Amino acid sequence: MAEPSVTNAVSGGGWLQRRFKLYQRQTSVKIECLAGITGFLAAAYLLVVIPGLLAVGGIDKGAALTGTIIVLVAGSLLMAFYANLPFMVGPGIGGSVLVGITLAGDGITWPVGLGIACWSGILFFLLTILGLREVVTRSIPQSIKLGLTASIGIFVALLGFRNAGLVTANVKTHALGLGDFTAPGALIALLGLLIAIGLQARRVPGAILWAILLATLAGLPFNITHLPAEWISLPHSLTPLIGKVDLLGALNIAFLPFLFIFFASEFFSTMGTTLAVGGEAGLLDEHGNMKNINRPFVVDSIAAALGPIFGIPAATALIESAAAAEAGGKTGLTALTAAVMFLLMLLLTPIALMIPKEATAPALILIGLNMFSGLRKVDLSNFTEGLPVLMMVMATLISNSFGTGIAAGLLFYVAIKVVAGKAREVPVSLYVLAIPLVYYFATLTHH
């Protein structure tokens, strides 16, 4: 039974209440809209990062910004109305790095790179329609599902620490080290983190949202937050990108390893995000499964297939959706709100770009650390169940990719069960999955 305050708020929702089933999920229009704005602010940095990464590979930066917004809006709207889930959908950093930096470094042009990404999306869509993605997801061991939130949590938290300047990566050794805690950006991030913790401890609604806004304001005197010269700007033209995807050129058999890297990393990233954020939103059953999970899979596969047409590769359910779930988002109204906010950015891009990454870093740090609570449910006393989970978390940290981390966790699970004499406990489907996973890591280490 819903609490009176929630019930009253929902009852006034009218069409929104009926369309998004707010009452059934114990939420309200106010909570969902607040969660959507929080998710938008947590993901707004992508409007800077994605075009910047793609520009390294030769893609027009202005056009990439417009394309990023269009994909974010279209994907999130589709998730809102088709799947009724609080997931934002947009370009992932991993796919953008692959097209803008990795492939470009190997002499592969960005139109061909977009073609490879498009074929990966089409393959996604076919497997989703056939129901194979759901079969794989349901065959994932319970311990791995329980540990997914911790694995993704360490990725999100590390992203936050790096955005805050509290953690740096040594260029020569690639090792992580402590940043300058006295730098203005780090101080702003720490202030935002303390504000978020203080507000959450007092159960203030929209604690993370308030922390982001207050940290943004605090950044003004430190020259971390820069007020835009103009508040309204017309969107850049998509002409440099529309129709430039090279589907035929991408069919070269030499590009098969890249196609598989695209496919495998996005497959496990999407699966992990869906289950982890779904768990944060209370949408999983006692076995760690989500009802109608094929719906979000259909949405992200469509976005992944159509995104390259607008010059944007590897659209997926964004891990930043965890910020929206943490703020109380449980339905598609959260995704709809975020989509509206991103749509406004077509004209108000300077406002979104004004929010420094140091201001959103506390949200990522706090959300990521909170996701470690999933480890409490894992039976760590049974090393054949607990060790693969810990390996998964470590692989995520080392590779800086939760998609790779999940893939490593599954492979370790099969290997550990076999050498421990418990091969019969492994589902046949996981043995089949282990074969392409070995190939995935073989190709990954060579690229």
Side-chain angles (χ1 to χ4, degrees):
M1 194 69 180
E3 295 179 5
S5 59
V6 174
T7 305
N8 293 337
V10 170
S11 62
W15 177 81
L16 291 175
Q17 191 282 120
R18 296 190 301 273
R19 181 64 183 78
F20 294 107
K21 301 179 180 178
L22 304 182
Y23 179 78
Q24 290 92 320
R25 295 193 187 174
Q26 306 283 288
T27 185
S28 69
V29 172
K30 179 181 178 181
I31 292 173
E32 294 294 300
C33 290
L34 194 63
I37 295 172
T38 302
F40 158 74
L41 290 175
Y45 75 98
L46 292 174
L47 299 183
V48 177
V49 174
I50 299 300
L53 290 171
L54 296 176
V56 175
I59 293 179
D60 183 89
K61 194 172 184 179
L65 173 58
T66 301
T68 297
I69 294 174
I70 288 175
V71 171
L72 278 162
V73 171
S76 299
L77 285 176
L78 191 57
M79 185 67 77
F81 288 103
Y82 179 68
N84 192 24
L85 290 170
F87 304 153
M88 297 176 292
V89 177
I93 292 177
S96 299
V97 169
L98 198 52
V99 170
I101 297 176
T102 305
L103 297 185
D106 282 357
I108 300 173
T109 64
W110 63 262
V112 172
L114 291 176
I116 297 172
C118 188
W119 283 117
S120 175
I122 292 171
L123 185 58
F124 258 136
F125 182 73
L126 292 175
L127 290 180
T128 302
I129 294 300
L130 294 172
L132 293 180
R133 288 178 71 181
E134 184 173 2
V135 170
V136 172
T137 302
R138 289 189 174 276
S139 69
I140 302 299
Q142 177 76 347
S143 58
I144 295 292
K145 287 179 179 176
L146 291 172
L148 275 177
T149 53
S151 182
I152 293 179
I154 199 170
F155 176 84
V156 173
L158 182 59
L159 178 61
F161 279 115
R162 293 180 70 165
N163 285 351
L166 299 172
V167 169
T168 61
N170 188 299
V171 178
K172 294 182 179 179
T173 64
H174 299 290
L176 295 177
L178 293 178
D180 182 2
F181 281 53
T182 63
L187 291 174
I188 293 301
L190 288 171
L191 175 64
L193 183 60
L194 292 175
I195 291 173
I197 293 172
L199 293 178
Q200 276 201 340
R202 291 166 175 77
R203 301 186 181 278
V204 175
I208 292 176
L209 174 57
W210 283 113
I212 292 173
L213 295 177
L214 291 173
T216 299
L217 290 175
L220 286 171
F222 292 94
N223 207 29
I224 297 298
T225 302
H226 303 281
L227 292 176
E230 53 183 15
W231 297 89
I232 299 176
S233 65
L234 293 176
H236 294 271
S237 172
L238 272 176
T239 303
L241 296 180
I242 290 292
K244 297 300 195 303
V245 57
D246 188 356
L247 289 173
L248 292 179
L251 291 176
N252 188 326
I253 194 169
F255 300 151
L256 183 61
F258 293 114
L259 174 64
F260 192 79
I261 290 173
F262 251 120
F263 176 80
S265 60
E266 292 301 319
F267 180 98
F268 290 107
S269 296
T270 300
M271 182 192 72
T273 300
T274 302
L275 293 177
V277 178
E280 287 287 302
L283 301 176
L284 304 184
D285 61 21
E286 66 274 14
H287 301 295
N289 295 317
M290 178 184 289
K291 184 179 180 182
N292 296 323
I293 197 171
N294 226 38
R295 288 188 171 236
F297 286 167
V298 167
V299 172
D300 74 65
S301 62
I302 291 175
L306 298 183
I309 296 175
F310 299 96
I312 307 301
T316 181
L318 296 175
I319 190 56
E320 289 77 13
S321 302
E326 182 76 14
K330 296 181 179 180
T331 75
L333 182 54
T334 292
L336 171 59
T337 302
V340 171
M341 296 298 294
F342 277 114
L343 184 62
L344 291 174
M345 290 306 104
L346 280 175
L347 296 177
L348 303 175
T349 302
I351 296 178
L353 301 186
M354 180 185 74
I355 303 168
K357 63 181 185 299
E358 291 87 353
T360 59
L364 298 175
I365 293 171
L366 190 56
I367 291 161
L369 295 179
N370 282 338
M371 294 177 80
F372 273 75
S373 61
L375 283 178
R376 291 182 304 177
K377 302 175 183 177
V378 179
D379 183 9
L380 296 177
S381 63
N382 181 348
F383 80 96
T384 63
E385 294 289 335
L387 195 56
V389 173
L390 298 178
M391 289 288 196
M392 178 173 64
V393 174
M394 285 302 299
T396 300
L397 176 63
I398 294 167
S399 66
N400 195 31
S401 165
F402 57 87
T404 299
I406 295 166
L410 289 172
L411 206 52
F412 274 119
Y413 182 89
V414 174
I416 290 172
K417 285 290 185 182
V418 170
V419 298
K422 299 183 178 182
R424 292 184 179 181
E425 295 181 10
V426 180
V428 175
S429 55
L430 275 191
Y431 284 115
V432 175
L433 184 62
I435 298 172
L437 285 182
V438 170
Y439 177 73
Y440 168 64
F441 282 102
T443 54
L444 196 64
T445 53
H446 286 87
H447 296 287

